[in-house]
Amino acid sequence: MAIFCKRKGFAYASGEIYGGLAGLFDYGHLGVLLKRNFEDLWRDFFLGLDDNFAEIESSEIMPEKVFVASGHLKNFNDFASKCKKGHIERADHLLEKNLKKRFEGLTSEQLFEKIKENKILCSVCGSQIESVEITNMMFPLQLGFGNNAKAFLRPETAQSPYVNFKIQSEVMRKKLPLGLALIGKAYRNELSPRNFLLRQRAFTQAELQIFFNPAKISEHEKFEEVKDYFLNVVLSGERDKGIQKIKCINLLNKIPKFYIYYMAKVQQFYFKVLGFPENKFRFYQLNEHEKAFYNKYHFDMEADLDAVGWTEIGGVHYRTDHDLKGHQEISGENLSFFDEESKEKFIPHVLELSFGVDRNFYSILNFAYFYDEKRQNIVLRLHPNLAPVKVAVFPIVKREELEKISEEIFYDLKKDFNAVYDRSGSIGRRYARNDEIGTLFCITIDEDSLKKKEVTVRIRDNAEQVRIKIKDLRESLGKAINDGEDMSKLGKIVNTRKK
Ligand code: GAP
């Protein structure tokens, strides 16, 4: 994946020409388009769930007190195993690598015991592990000169909506549930960054914090819509059963209604909006020892990725009043909310929908990546919503008249779609280049285009070609790209290379 992404310019090590730095990556032009498409779809879908959900933006640098209040200063730790020669590695990863199972929720002493018990050695030099120590994962910063203002790069976007809650709940509709969404960078000093975009030191999160009345956790006005919807879940007490497909209504004895409703929406986002394969996505419940320190209920969203297996790409977290209570205590501001409807005053609870954008980006590419034996070429079968380039326009040969009309078509299409103009190389080469980046349709302008005012539209997924009148082209592409209509039915088929 890393090689492919670099070759096509999607993403690559940051500061490449200096050899890069572990855990830091840059997104190139196509990568930005794909990432932005994901973020826009996320915004449309999740902000569309409720009129009282909105987006904010916030500083990535936050005062130390924020993280005293949230508990990150004390609890946001990794466990570093150190060998005789001084090599440092994440102790749970070292165990995982050697014993091929997960090690979450153990103390440093327990991790060290397990390492000794299984005679596990340093994976860099093979020498003995001498200790397992706790290390905080946040990046401290010095602000300005000569003052004592202590600050950190935020390790999650979530704290920003929490410290914004007071202002936003006043200026918004003074009504709960209130959703504050934020897409932005988070920073963690990972001990062992690894697996390309999957474990970085600077990454993007898309998180929605839903503030609600805890007395209403067993309600959701739209639950009826999802009650018969099946969720793919691995329950913490029933892991031996693997993935179970359970109707939302049948989970009510285990998880509150408000929480289940949003799990259903998250899964629908993956299946309906992003087009993830349904057997490659699951919710994995974490138990008492494994869940994050701020959570009461914790399900990870996981995708089954080719090279690495089931991987966490997000989470649905019931954070209770953990964060707001902490901020109220440390800031001295009253963060309670007066609910006009119930005439009650309380500190709202928070349900968090958390997505790692880079891990989703990776998963999207993983599921789209396909080597077509017939074409002897990679075809990136991205969902039309996600494809960074929707249309490529080619004059069949370099001839002035053909190029003139091709350019006219290109500039016309560019008004509606992200389009590219490509005039170099054979048509086969140009198809292959566009298949590799997931371009949905390639439009070729030939002699007949001059005479009959028609073009050939070649469809990425089945390599079928249809002839379409130039005057109908923009509308037909709109129907295929935005409304999901079948392009082969919108024109006259001129080849039958259907696979
Ligand atoms: N606000 C809750 C929170 O931050 P998390 O499970 O620590 O929860 C949320 O992180 C998501 O952020 C993860 O599910 C993952 O997709 C992404 N993420 C976390 N650490 C990451 C890293 N080092 N590199 C890339 N993505 C990461």
Side-chain angles (χ1 to χ4, degrees):
M1 185 61 77
I3 293 166
F4 171 75
C5 280
K6 184 174 170 193
R7 184 164 62 78
K8 300 311 290 183
F10 279 98
Y12 32 80
S14 184
E16 256 268 330
I17 59 168
Y18 294 102
L21 274 176
L24 300 175
F25 290 88
D26 288 350
Y27 284 86
H29 162 59
L30 289 174
V32 166
L33 290 172
L34 175 56
K35 186 164 175 269
R36 200 181 291 152
N37 284 346
F38 169 81
E39 292 169 1
D40 287 344
L41 291 168
W42 186 90
R43 273 190 190 94
D44 284 355
F45 186 86
F46 288 102
L47 296 185
L49 293 180
D50 193 306
D51 292 343
N52 210 29
F53 288 3
E55 187 177 2
I56 61 166
E57 195 180 303
S58 166
S59 169
E60 293 164 14
I61 300 172
M62 302 184 89
E64 182 183 40
K65 281 188 174 166
V66 167
F67 304 109
V68 174
S70 69
H72 282 81
L73 214 52
K74 184 168 164 232
N75 300 313
F76 199 54
N77 300 322
D78 259 352
F79 298 102
S81 68
K82 201 169 171 189
C83 79
K84 249 180 175 166
K85 295 192 179 160
H87 296 122
I88 298 219
E89 203 171 344
R90 240 178 87 165
D92 55 336
H93 288 176
L94 182 65
L95 280 164
E96 242 173 70
K97 200 154 58 184
N98 283 276
L99 303 178
K100 309 281 174 250
K101 59 179 192 170
R102 295 187 190 214
F103 288 88
E104 278 167 297
L106 301 187
T107 63
S108 54
E109 291 81 20
Q110 288 166 327
L111 288 164
F112 192 37
E113 269 315 304
K114 286 247 175 291
I115 288 174
K116 284 193 290 190
E117 200 177 292
N118 291 286
K119 301 192 172 47
I120 292 171
L121 301 172
C122 170
S123 52
V124 181
C125 66
S127 64
Q128 204 179 325
I129 303 295
E130 291 213 308
S131 62
V132 172
E133 284 159 30
I134 296 179
T135 54
N136 192 275
M137 290 174 73
M138 287 194 296
F139 285 105
L141 286 181
Q142 173 173 335
L143 292 186
F145 299 96
N147 66 36
N148 294 323
K150 278 200 188 159
F152 289 88
L153 285 171
R154 66 180 177 205
E156 57 167 357
T157 68
Q159 293 308 318
S160 303
Y162 302 151
V163 300
N164 274 263
F165 172 73
K166 190 175 164 65
I167 298 178
Q168 288 302 315
S169 62
E170 278 163 16
V171 297
M172 285 177 68
R173 292 168 50 205
K174 293 196 173 159
K175 174 177 155 274
L176 294 182
L178 165 73
L180 294 180
L182 206 158
I183 299 181
K185 285 276 186 196
Y187 301 86
R188 296 182 188 176
N189 199 359
E190 294 281 353
L191 281 171
S192 352
R194 60 179 188 176
N195 292 338
F196 186 38
L197 302 174
L198 297 179
R199 190 167 299 283
Q200 302 177 70
R201 289 189 167 130
F203 54 95
T204 305
Q205 291 184 318
E207 297 192 307
L208 172 62
Q209 312 300 325
I210 306 170
F211 301 86
F212 67 98
N213 179 348
K216 297 190 177 169
I217 193 162
S218 301
E219 300 170 22
H220 196 288
E221 57 181 14
K222 296 188 193 147
F223 187 78
E224 275 298 298
E225 284 173 22
V226 302
K227 75 177 188 345
D228 292 322
Y229 182 68
F230 284 91
L231 290 176
N232 291 358
V233 288
V234 176
L235 295 171
S236 63
E238 301 174 18
R239 287 192 186 150
D240 51 329
K241 294 188 181 161
I243 301 178
Q244 304 186 64
K245 288 187 184 294
I246 306 183
K247 270 190 189 177
C248 287
I249 197 161
N250 295 334
L251 281 168
L252 285 175
N253 57 349
K254 294 196 168 69
I255 315 160
K257 199 182 250 182
F258 193 75
Y259 191 104
I260 300 173
Y261 173 79
Y262 285 102
M263 285 175 83
K265 288 293 143 187
V266 166
Q267 186 174 292
Q268 287 174 353
F269 174 68
Y270 279 108
F271 292 172
K272 293 186 180 163
V273 181
L274 302 184
F276 271 33
E278 300 202 358
N279 59 344
K280 301 278 183 183
F281 173 87
R282 69 184 187 187
F283 285 105
Y284 186 90
Q285 187 177 23
L286 302 193
N287 66 28
E288 283 305 311
H289 308 292
E290 298 162 338
K291 65 191 185 189
F293 63 89
Y294 44 73
N295 279 335
K296 179 159 177 188
Y297 295 103
H298 185 156
F299 279 81
D300 280 342
M301 284 100 84
E302 294 191 339
D304 189 8
L305 304 177
D306 294 341
V308 282
W310 287 104
T311 303
E312 176 196 338
I313 55 174
V316 178
H317 305 149
Y318 175 30
R319 297 178 72 133
T320 68
D321 56 0
H322 168 88
D323 299 274
L324 286 189
K325 216 161 85 187
H327 289 304
Q328 172 167 288
E329 199 181 307
I330 300 296
S331 69
E333 290 278 346
N334 183 355
L335 298 183
S336 61
F337 181 89
F338 180 71
D339 186 13
E340 302 282 351
E341 229 177 86
S342 61
K343 307 286 176 221
E344 290 166 320
K345 201 170 169 200
F346 51 85
I347 294 187
H349 280 209
V350 170
L351 180 71
E352 171 183 61
L353 311 184
S354 171
F355 295 72
V357 175
D358 314 80
R359 290 192 188 179
N360 278 274
F361 176 100
Y362 183 109
S363 309
I364 287 164
L365 285 178
N366 177 95
F367 296 134
Y369 187 97
F370 168 74
Y371 185 78
D372 188 324
E373 293 290 346
K374 221 164 168 182
R375 296 182 216 183
Q376 303 231 321
N377 193 48
I378 292 158
V379 182
L380 214 51
R381 288 170 159 176
L382 290 167
H383 192 283
N385 284 335
L386 289 163
V389 179
K390 310 290 184 207
V391 189
V393 179
F394 319 147
I396 196 159
V397 287
K398 287 183 189 166
R399 199 153 70 77
E400 205 181 317
E401 280 168 293
L402 288 180
E403 289 197 44
K404 185 167 172 288
I405 180 169
S406 301
E407 280 177 23
E408 278 169 21
I409 291 173
F410 168 65
Y411 285 114
D412 186 48
L413 295 181
K414 240 173 110 79
K415 291 178 197 152
D416 284 355
F417 316 105
N418 192 30
V420 295
Y421 183 70
D422 189 349
R423 59 200 278 276
S424 61
S426 69
I427 282 290
R429 216 30 247 140
R430 282 183 266 177
Y431 282 156
R433 254 198 315 261
N434 278 284
D435 282 347
E436 274 194 319
I437 62 166
T439 307
L440 297 169
F441 302 108
C442 292
I443 293 160
T444 307
I445 288 87
D446 56 20
E447 296 297 332
D448 268 1
S449 307
L450 299 175
K451 286 186 225 143
K452 297 188 187 160
K453 306 273 180 261
E454 282 179 359
V455 292
T456 304
V457 178
R458 187 260 200 184
I459 303 166
R460 179 195 69 196
D461 291 342
N462 56 16
E464 252 180 10
Q465 297 179 9
V466 290
R467 292 292 282 182
I468 296 216
K469 291 272 177 220
I470 295 174
K471 69 175 176 46
D472 299 331
L473 185 61
R474 210 162 127 192
E475 195 186 328
S476 300
L477 286 169
K479 286 182 184 164
I481 295 167
N482 304 324
D483 309 331
E485 285 194 34
D486 183 354
M487 178 55 88
S488 49
K489 298 207 174 98
L490 296 172
K492 195 170 68 194
I493 297 180
V494 289
N495 77 337
T496 47
R497 289 173 58 193
K498 217 166 182 171
K499 284 173 56 1

